[in-house]
């Protein structure tokens, strides 16, 4: 009996000269993940490509005629899976005694114990990819840099390519200087095309690239990394940026990944909006091994069990601050409820009623067709809660949240001489806040601050200049990767609808190096959409933690404390 395996648009096709044998083959496949997607068509078995490694295992000792492309992919996937198994064993041994495996590493004394453990895991010989999903603020950048230093010392790799949000490139540069001094040549690809291309092609040990530049210069980066096989380790920082496999930035990085010897994904909140977010991040680092053969339902609730099974096959580390940095005081939260001002309330009520009327007079099909317009009107409600001037330039009243900020900043900065962070999502609101509180020597990072150097300077001034008491930021632009531990108080004047922005920004002050109690003050307009919007963000945060198996403790708040006592505000 002869078996033929050929390419097929749905994966690969298995043909046999004894058709009844297809039923025997089906029984061999039936317990494999994804077997339910196998089809029978015109006397052939059509099998999804994710089962190609399984086919290779089944047919090793049989007389099989393989399509060359399918055969190559089958061998590659099987070898990759075996490497993952070998790496798991090596990591388990390294975790038992991390100090021994790193005893001759000159920078070991600069690392915390949990960082030593992570470096030991990342530097085992057979590892190809690992996800470092440690909670925000545990020092993942230092871990990645130390791992690079160790791997370079032992000759496993020669260079490091970091792809990260623009806002954190300066952190990578400063942390590298802190850990290694001037030992390595660091290049940052930024600025005009000629400058960034020169940086990418220049002699370097560490190349720092933003996601935007990775897309624009993907071809050149591929040429440079591919010129020396096995030379590079790739770090994908804040890897939730590539959660969507169809996004341009994800495709650019997917093309670069195979040219790098190993890859590390860094992210403290890898599934901020949906459990599905984690899949592509894992696929990029392990070549699709963990989620191979898994059919993931589109429904989020149904998807969770399958994604958890995939994570069981993923090589990743997840440690919480309360476990590895118990000296950092717990986070505290305060909901500050404000009443809208008279004109502001009138604007909100009018806009809300108009939206309600439009939705009620729309059938389901029309609603979905115009969903973008409805969400824009919904966003306008949030802008009115923040500062109506962003919706109506003629608005002259002082909005409720600016009055609340007057009180909080006067108390925290004016009376207690504290440094404070104010997060706001809307550009008009950010502008109003910056103008109103110039007396506090403020610095600002939002989408309008393009230069990496300007961002570094703003962070440095806030951290080290006693005359700079206020940091004003948009969490979408400055909520990830940076350290603002000079402050113990963060105020949320408004927030985006992306849970990741909030989850990341909270830990700018609650992180490694913080020694004081920290409090986040959440300004919410009473009886508005903001109340449910913030609750939705918290539900997403809890869901993301549950997916990773966190022993999640709901943070104590004043409101929750009163509710526990049976008293409602």
């Amino acid at each position: 009996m002869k078996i033929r395996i050929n390419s097929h648009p749905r994966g690969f096709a298995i043909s046999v000269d004894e058709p009844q044998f297809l039923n025997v083959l089906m029984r061999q496949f039936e317990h494999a993940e994804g077997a339910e997607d196998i089809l029978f068509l015109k006397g052939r078995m059509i099998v999804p490509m994710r089962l190609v490694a399984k086919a290779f295992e089944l047919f090793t000792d049989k007389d099989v005629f393989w399509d060359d492309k399918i055969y190559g992919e089958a061998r590659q996937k099987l070898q990759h899976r075996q490497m993952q198994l070998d790496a798991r064993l090596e990591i388990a041994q390294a975790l038992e005694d991390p100090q021994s495996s790193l005893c001759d590493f000159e920078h070991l004394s600069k690392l915390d114990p949990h960082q030593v453990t992570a470096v030991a895991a990342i530097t085992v010989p057979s590892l190809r990819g690992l996800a470092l999903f440690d909670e925000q603020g545990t020092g993942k950048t230092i871990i990645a840099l130390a791992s690079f230093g160790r791997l370079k010392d032992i000759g496993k790799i020669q260079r490091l390519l970091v792809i990260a949000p623009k806002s954190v490139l300066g952190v990578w540069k400063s942390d590298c200087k802190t850990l290694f001094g001037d030992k390595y040549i660091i290049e940052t690809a930024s600025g005009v095309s000629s400058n960034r291309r020169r940086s990418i092609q220049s002699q370097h040990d560490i190349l720092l690239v933003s996601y935007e530049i990775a897309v624009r210069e993907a071809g050149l980066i591929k040429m440079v990394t591919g010129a020396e096989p096995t030379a590079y380790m790739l770090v994908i920082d804040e890897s939730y940026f590539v959660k969507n496999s169809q996004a341009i930035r994800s495709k650019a990085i997917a093309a670069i990944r195979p040219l790098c010897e190993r890859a590390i994904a860094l992210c403290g909140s890898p599934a901020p909006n949906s459990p599905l977010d984690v899949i592509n991040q894992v696929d990029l680092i392990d070549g699709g091994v963990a989620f191979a053969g898994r059919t993931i339902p589109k429904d989020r609730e149904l998807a969770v069990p399958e994604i958890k099974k995939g994570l069981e096959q993923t090589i990743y580390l997840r440690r919480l601050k309360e476990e590895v940095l118990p000296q950092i005081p717990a986070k505290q939260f305060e909901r500050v409820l404000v009443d809208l001002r008279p004109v502001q309330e009138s604007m909100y009520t009018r806009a809300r009623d108009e939206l309600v009327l439009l939705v009620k007079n729309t059938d389901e099909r029309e609603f979905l067709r115009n969903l973008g317009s409805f969400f824009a009107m919904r966003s306008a409600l949030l802008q009115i809660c923040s500062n109506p001037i962003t919706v109506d330039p003629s608005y002259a009243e002082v909005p409720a949240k600016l009055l609340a900020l007057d009180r909080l900043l006067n108390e925290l900065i004016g009376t207690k001489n504290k440094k404070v962070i104010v997060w706001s999502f809307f550009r008009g609101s950010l502008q109003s806040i910056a103008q109103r509180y110039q007396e506090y020597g403020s610095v600002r990072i939002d989408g309008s601050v393009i230069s990496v150097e300007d961002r570094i300077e703003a962070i440095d001034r806030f951290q080290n200049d006693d005359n700079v008491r206020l940091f004003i930021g948009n969490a979408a632009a400055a909520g990830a990767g940076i350290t603002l531990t000079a402050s113990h108080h963060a105020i949320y004047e408004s927030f985006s609808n992306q849970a990741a922005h909030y989850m990341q920004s909270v830990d700018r002050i609650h992180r490694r190096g913080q020694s004081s109690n920290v409090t986040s003050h959440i300004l919410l307009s009473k009886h508005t959409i903001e109340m449910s919007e913030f609750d939705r963000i918290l539900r997403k945060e809890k869901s993301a933690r549950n997916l990773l198996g966190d022993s999640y403790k709901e943070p104590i708040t004043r409101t929750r404390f009163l509710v526990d006592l049976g008293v409602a505000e």
Side-chain angles (χ1 to χ4, degrees):
M1 182 186 61
K2 293 182 179 180
I3 302 173
R4 294 184 181 276
I5 297 180
N6 297 103
S7 181
H8 189 274
R10 291 178 177 265
F12 59 95
I14 302 176
S15 307
V16 295
D17 54 7
E18 298 177 19
Q20 67 273 17
F21 187 67
L22 288 177
N23 292 327
V24 176
L25 290 180
M26 185 64 220
R27 285 196 294 273
Q28 293 177 305
F29 273 108
E30 63 184 358
H31 296 299
E33 296 278 358
E36 66 275 10
D37 293 328
I38 294 176
L39 303 174
F40 289 91
L41 185 66
K42 297 180 180 180
R44 297 184 300 171
M45 182 187 293
I46 311 301
V47 185
M49 186 58 71
R50 59 180 177 270
L51 290 174
V52 71
K54 178 68 175 179
F56 192 87
E57 290 176 328
L58 290 174
F59 302 145
T60 299
D61 58 350
K62 292 183 172 61
D63 188 12
V64 179
F65 295 88
W66 287 85
D67 173 278
D68 288 344
K69 182 179 179 181
I70 302 295
Y71 182 78
E73 187 158 347
R75 282 189 61 85
Q76 183 184 48
K77 286 185 178 295
L78 200 62
Q79 290 170 355
H80 201 163
R81 183 183 296 172
Q82 186 58 51
M83 289 176 67
Q84 291 287 89
L85 291 173
D86 293 343
R88 281 179 176 276
L89 291 174
E90 290 182 355
I91 287 172
Q93 294 170 354
L95 294 179
E96 284 184 8
D97 189 6
Q99 294 280 349
S100 294
S101 62
L102 300 173
C103 59
D104 57 342
F105 182 45
E106 62 177 309
H107 304 287
L108 198 62
S109 61
K110 299 178 183 178
L111 305 178
D112 292 337
H114 74 280
Q115 294 176 317
V116 172
T117 302
V119 172
I122 292 171
T123 56
V124 299
S126 62
L127 181 72
R128 287 273 299 164
L130 179 144
L132 186 58
F133 288 158
D134 285 355
E135 189 178 15
Q136 300 96 313
T138 51
K140 294 187 289 295
T141 304
I142 291 291
I143 290 172
L145 286 168
S147 299
F148 157 71
R150 173 62 174 172
L151 288 166
K152 186 171 174 63
D153 285 351
I154 62 178
K156 282 292 181 182
I157 58 169
Q158 297 302 315
R159 279 174 275 286
L160 174 64
L161 169 62
V162 176
I163 301 178
K166 183 195 304 180
S167 60
V168 305
L169 294 181
V171 176
W172 278 93
K173 193 169 185 177
S174 62
D175 279 359
C176 186
K177 292 286 187 182
T178 299
L179 188 61
F180 299 125
D182 295 322
K183 183 177 181 179
Y184 298 124
I185 301 171
I186 307 168
E187 287 287 342
T188 303
S190 61
V192 298
S193 178
S194 58
N195 288 345
R196 61 185 185 243
R197 292 177 70 85
R198 189 181 305 113
S199 294
I200 293 168
Q201 296 178 86
S202 67
Q203 183 65 36
H204 60 260
D205 297 299
I206 299 173
L207 177 61
L208 307 177
V209 181
S210 71
Y211 281 104
E212 294 82 1
I213 301 304
V215 171
R216 293 178 186 176
E217 305 294 352
L220 183 59
I221 294 171
K222 285 170 60 180
M223 185 184 75
V224 170
T225 53
E228 298 179 77
T230 75
Y232 279 86
M233 178 171 88
L234 171 66
V235 170
I236 308 169
D237 194 13
E238 303 299 349
S239 55
Y240 69 87
F241 273 66
V242 290
K243 62 183 183 292
N244 179 2
S245 63
Q246 298 306 307
I248 295 174
R249 66 174 66 142
S250 300
K251 291 180 178 180
I253 293 171
I256 295 167
R257 166 62 184 103
L259 304 173
C260 300
E261 173 65 15
R262 65 182 68 195
I264 311 299
L266 306 182
C267 194
S269 52
N273 293 310
S274 164
L276 300 169
D277 292 349
V278 78
I279 296 173
N280 193 56
Q281 297 171 61
V282 172
D283 283 349
L284 282 172
I285 60 162
D286 76 357
V289 171
F291 285 97
R294 300 190 185 279
T295 301
I296 309 296
K298 292 183 179 180
D299 181 273
R300 293 184 182 186
E301 294 294 327
L302 297 176
V304 170
E306 283 302 313
I307 293 173
K308 284 187 173 181
K309 288 180 184 177
L311 286 172
E312 289 173 2
Q313 302 303 314
T314 301
I315 299 179
Y316 78 97
L317 296 177
R318 170 70 172 180
R319 283 86 56 85
L320 305 181
K321 286 198 289 282
E322 64 186 45
E323 300 167 351
V324 299
L325 297 171
Q327 70 274 19
I328 299 179
K331 290 179 276 192
Q332 300 174 16
F333 297 82
E334 177 191 20
R335 293 196 189 198
V336 180
L337 304 183
V338 300
D339 292 303
L340 295 178
R341 301 298 305 285
V343 176
Q344 186 179 18
E345 183 175 21
S346 177
M347 288 181 63
Y348 179 88
T349 302
R350 186 166 60 252
R352 181 202 59 200
D353 291 349
E354 179 183 346
L355 178 56
V356 169
L357 185 62
L358 281 172
V359 173
K360 283 186 174 181
N361 289 324
T362 303
D363 60 28
E364 193 68 28
R365 185 176 178 181
E366 189 70 18
F367 173 76
L368 293 176
R369 184 182 301 157
N370 295 292
L371 195 58
S373 297
F374 289 133
F375 271 114
M377 296 175 72
R378 187 176 182 272
S379 178
L381 292 176
L382 293 171
Q383 291 181 61
I384 292 171
C385 291
S386 169
N387 191 334
I389 200 168
T390 59
V391 175
D392 181 1
S394 67
Y395 177 77
E397 186 181 55
V398 178
K401 289 193 176 182
L402 280 184
L403 293 179
L405 279 175
D406 286 348
R407 177 181 61 81
L408 281 168
L409 295 180
N410 181 61
E411 176 189 349
L412 295 172
I413 300 178
T415 303
K416 298 181 179 179
N417 199 31
K418 301 288 187 180
K419 291 199 174 198
V420 178
I421 300 165
V422 174
W423 296 109
S424 181
F425 179 63
F426 302 109
R427 178 168 293 187
S429 299
L430 286 162
Q431 187 64 29
S432 296
I433 291 167
Q435 290 175 351
R436 191 174 181 88
Y437 304 112
Q438 294 181 53
E439 64 184 290
Y440 297 130
S442 63
V443 293
R444 175 179 171 183
I445 295 182
D446 58 17
S448 67
V449 183
I450 298 173
S451 165
V452 172
E453 290 72 21
D454 289 346
R455 290 167 180 251
I456 294 172
E457 182 185 3
I459 295 165
D460 181 68
R461 289 183 61 204
F462 183 73
Q463 286 288 91
N464 301 304
D465 188 340
D466 290 339
N467 294 316
V468 177
R469 315 304 299 174
L470 181 62
F471 181 97
I472 301 168
N474 180 341
I482 65 175
T483 294
L484 300 172
T485 48
S487 174
H488 314 143
H489 293 269
I491 303 172
Y492 288 80
E493 187 272 346
S494 56
F495 38 85
S496 78
N497 61 357
Q498 296 292 313
H501 297 157
Y502 169 76
M503 292 161 63
Q504 289 282 344
S505 64
V506 165
D507 288 288
R508 296 316 97 210
I509 59 175
H510 190 259
R511 60 195 299 105
R512 187 171 179 265
Q514 181 61 269
S515 58
S516 302
N517 292 323
V518 299
T519 303
S520 293
H521 311 264
I522 319 296
L523 304 188
L524 297 171
S525 302
K526 290 182 185 177
H527 313 303
T528 71
I529 193 175
E530 278 194 332
M531 305 290 287
S532 59
E533 186 75 2
F534 185 65
D535 285 339
R536 184 183 63 83
I537 289 174
L538 295 184
R539 287 195 300 272
K540 284 189 174 184
E541 179 185 24
K542 187 173 183 179
S543 173
R545 288 181 174 276
N546 287 338
L547 183 70
L548 296 172
D550 292 357
S551 54
Y552 181 66
K553 296 178 182 178
E554 186 178 347
I556 189 66
T557 65
R558 176 177 173 275
T559 302
R560 179 186 154 204
F561 193 84
L562 290 172
V563 170
D564 289 345
L565 294 174
V567 178
E569 282 194 298

